[in-house]
Amino acid sequence: MTETNQRATDAQHKGGLSRRQFIAGIGGLGIGAVLGSGITALLLPDDVYAIEASQGYLLVDAKKCAGCETCVISCSLAHLGRINTSLSRIQVMKNALGSFPSDDVMQNQCRQCPYPSCVEACPVGAMHADPETGVRLVDEGKCIGCERCVEACPFTPSRVQWNFEDKHAQKCDLCKNTPFWDEEGGPSGKQLCVEICPMKAIAFTNVLPVQTDEGYTANLRNDHYLEIGLPSDDEARIPPARLGYGAGGTAAQAAAGSNDK
């Protein structure tokens, strides 16, 4: 066993159980208590933790994306201060021989999962949920390089990336920590990929998406699409109130927009 793996194993043994591991362990025992309000709640031991939801998510209109990779380049510039598309926290894959518009574009960034397996897999707490915003973050100083978070991500390719230069895990943080971009990021601020996309094919929302591939897609096509003869697919268009274009739309706006037709 390598030194890194041994450190990871030792740390995991000391770290207690995750919420998911505990629930799986008790199976159908139905451990719970009826509170005064009549709500049944699970009583969790002190060493079992629940992970709060993120306050922000990114949505993508694959049909509107031109595959220019402006978001990829700007992401690496904001986080690293240089262009390195391999180390960008958002990745775009497009058929170079395809036509426009089409939906053969894959944009991969962290989904801020409500039950993040990457956080649960980290044996030292380097991968964690920010206590203020719930955004899933990597504490690069704590990361021991075991790559368990990369392997634990249920998506292919993994939304957690291995920084092969600095030897630590990294992922989309909704621009909460961008040393080379002066704007305030995170759910209450701006996201550079949203701001800089020339096609406006990426949007921010405070509303937790449905946990499917379709849940993280959006129809962001506007009336200009009709003017130039491209389909806007009006029935599938996302109400603007659900989205916070670059300014981190408020939870109240998101909730109001979710009732729009």
Side-chain angles (χ1 to χ4, degrees), residues 16-219:
L17 299 173
S18 71
R19 177 179 180 275
R20 182 178 297 174
Q21 290 169 331
F22 176 74
I23 293 175
I26 65 172
L29 294 179
I31 299 176
V34 178
L35 305 181
S37 61
I39 300 175
T40 300
L42 187 67
L43 294 179
L44 301 180
D46 291 339
D47 61 349
V48 178
Y49 59 88
I51 301 172
E52 62 182 290
S54 173
Q55 295 177 15
Y57 309 87
L58 292 178
L59 305 178
V60 174
D61 188 340
K63 189 170 287 187
K64 197 175 184 183
C65 173
C68 65
E69 298 194 7
T70 301
C71 58
V72 177
I73 293 171
S74 60
C75 179
S76 68
L77 281 171
H79 287 91
L80 303 175
R82 63 186 185 279
I83 296 176
N84 188 327
T85 55
S86 296
L87 293 179
S88 173
R89 298 162 193 230
I90 182 172
Q91 295 291 326
V92 174
M93 291 177 284
K94 180 178 175 63
N95 179 4
L97 301 178
S99 59
F100 179 84
S102 67
D103 55 2
D104 60 350
V105 176
M106 290 183 61
Q107 282 191 324
N108 301 318
Q109 68 278 333
C110 176
R111 296 190 178 189
Q112 304 294 333
C113 300
Y115 298 106
S117 54
C118 58
V119 173
E120 294 185 355
C122 181
V124 295
M127 181 73 72
H128 65 286
D130 179 65
E132 295 181 358
T133 65
V135 176
R136 285 73 173 108
L137 303 174
V138 179
D139 185 332
E140 298 172 2
K142 282 187 176 181
C143 180
I144 60 175
C146 66
E147 298 187 56
R148 292 191 180 184
C149 56
V150 179
E151 298 170 355
C153 179
F155 302 103
T156 303
S158 174
R159 282 5 181 212
V160 183
Q161 302 156 323
W162 176 246
N163 186 317
F164 55 86
E165 290 185 351
D166 298 328
K167 310 302 181 186
H168 60 71
Q170 64 177 33
K171 56 179 290 300
C172 173
D173 57 3
L174 297 177
C175 288
K176 182 172 176 59
N177 298 316
T178 50
F180 298 96
W181 190 43
D182 292 337
E183 297 286 350
E184 178 185 353
S188 61
K190 298 180 179 181
Q191 298 75 43
L192 183 54
C193 59
V194 176
E195 293 290 311
I196 205 167
C197 177
M199 301 300 292
K200 298 300 180 186
I202 309 173
F204 174 90
T205 181
N206 296 109
V207 179
L208 174 65
V210 176
Q211 296 301 295
T212 63
D213 289 341
E214 292 75 16
Y216 286 82
T217 62
N219 183 344

Side-chain angles (χ1 to χ4, degrees), residues 1-10 144-148:
M1 180 179 292
T2 66
E3 180 181 354
T4 297
N5 287 337
Q6 183 62 57
R7 290 167 62 194
T9 301
D10 293 344
I144 60 175
C146 66
E147 298 187 56
R148 292 191 180 184

